[in-house]
Amino acid sequence: NLIIEKGKHTIITGANGSGKSTLLGLMSGIFYPNQGKVQVSSNKVGYVSATPLIINSNLRTNLIYGNNQKNIEDEILIKYIESFKLFSDNSKVDLERSVSNKTLSMGQMQKIGFIRALASGIEVLILDESTSNLDLESKELIYKILSEEKITIINSTHSKNDFLKYDKHLEIIFDEGNRNIISR
């Protein structure tokens, strides 16, 4: 049994292949369990990976992609663009600007993933190595923004030291064919 507390930031660590991403996939509903059940208290779940999907379209389309509420006000999107410092010059934010995975840096793509999730009004944010390709300044900015959100954060990472503030640390230990989750 594993319980993730509502409104808390939980870090999940473990070696490569220990099952971190599989666990997140089960929690997010991407995967279905072969046995047992996974219960999530909300259907307002956002997911940010190390390489978010960016489509060849305009910025607005990328920010609302996969969102059930397609009518997110421009002011909300612009506020997040400015908060996340998506572009070096925020004074000329153009939501019709064409973007692609060739015109954006990896950091910008990851920031779009975060904005996409938060702008959709999520209650649970699942992060799968979501800051692994960011510089220290961008990581600190994202941690600050997330700490101000009133959401549940489930965060898979290789190093808990990347995060200055979290509420609970779960470590997946894979030993002799058995997986154990240890609360730290």
Side-chain angles (χ1 to χ4, degrees):
N1 290 331
L2 174 63
I3 296 174
I4 305 288
E5 292 181 56
K6 183 177 181 179
K8 302 290 185 181
H9 184 169
T10 300
I11 300 273
I12 301 172
T13 61
N16 285 338
S18 64
K20 297 183 303 292
S21 294
T22 300
L23 180 61
L24 295 182
L26 289 165
M27 289 180 191
S28 65
I30 293 171
F31 301 139
Y32 298 102
N34 291 332
Q35 54 184 280
K37 67 179 179 174
V38 177
Q39 227 173 340
V40 180
S41 64
S42 175
N43 63 353
K44 295 179 179 178
V45 177
Y47 183 92
V48 181
S49 71
T51 54
L53 174 67
I54 301 296
I55 54 177
N56 293 333
S57 187
N58 63 33
L59 182 57
R60 177 185 289 106
T61 300
N62 273 280
L63 292 171
I64 64 171
Y65 180 80
N67 192 326
N68 290 335
Q69 52 177 3
K70 298 287 186 199
N71 296 323
I72 298 174
E73 295 177 17
D74 287 355
E75 293 79 28
I76 293 171
L77 296 176
I78 291 169
K79 178 186 129 254
Y80 277 117
I81 289 168
E82 291 171 350
S83 296
F84 277 89
K85 299 179 181 177
L86 185 59
F87 301 106
S88 57
D89 180 15
N90 281 330
S91 63
K92 300 176 184 176
V93 174
D94 179 8
L95 294 173
E96 297 304 317
R97 174 183 181 166
S98 291
V99 296
S100 72
N101 61 1
K102 300 210 183 334
T103 63
L104 297 169
S105 71
M106 182 56 79
Q108 288 172 313
M109 289 189 277
Q110 284 187 280
K111 288 177 180 181
I112 286 174
F114 278 99
I115 295 168
R116 182 185 292 157
L118 294 174
S120 66
I122 57 163
E123 294 174 356
V124 178
L125 179 59
I126 295 176
L127 306 175
D128 192 359
E129 298 291 343
S130 61
T131 59
S132 61
N133 295 316
L134 294 176
D135 60 44
L136 184 60
E137 182 181 337
S138 293
K139 285 181 183 183
E140 289 174 353
L141 174 67
I142 288 171
Y143 303 152
K144 181 182 179 301
I145 292 168
L146 292 181
S147 71
E148 295 169 358
E149 296 286 328
K150 293 179 173 39
I151 57 176
T152 302
I153 301 171
I154 305 165
N155 189 345
S156 167
T157 182
H158 285 290
S159 174
K160 68 181 176 85
N161 298 330
D162 283 348
F163 299 89
L164 303 175
K165 186 178 176 195
Y166 55 87
D167 299 297
K168 190 173 191 176
H169 173 209
L170 302 173
E171 184 176 8
I172 300 177
I173 307 288
F174 190 67
D175 187 33
E176 297 180 24
N178 296 312
R179 280 186 181 88
N180 295 302
I181 298 177
I182 308 219
S183 181
R184 305 256 185 224

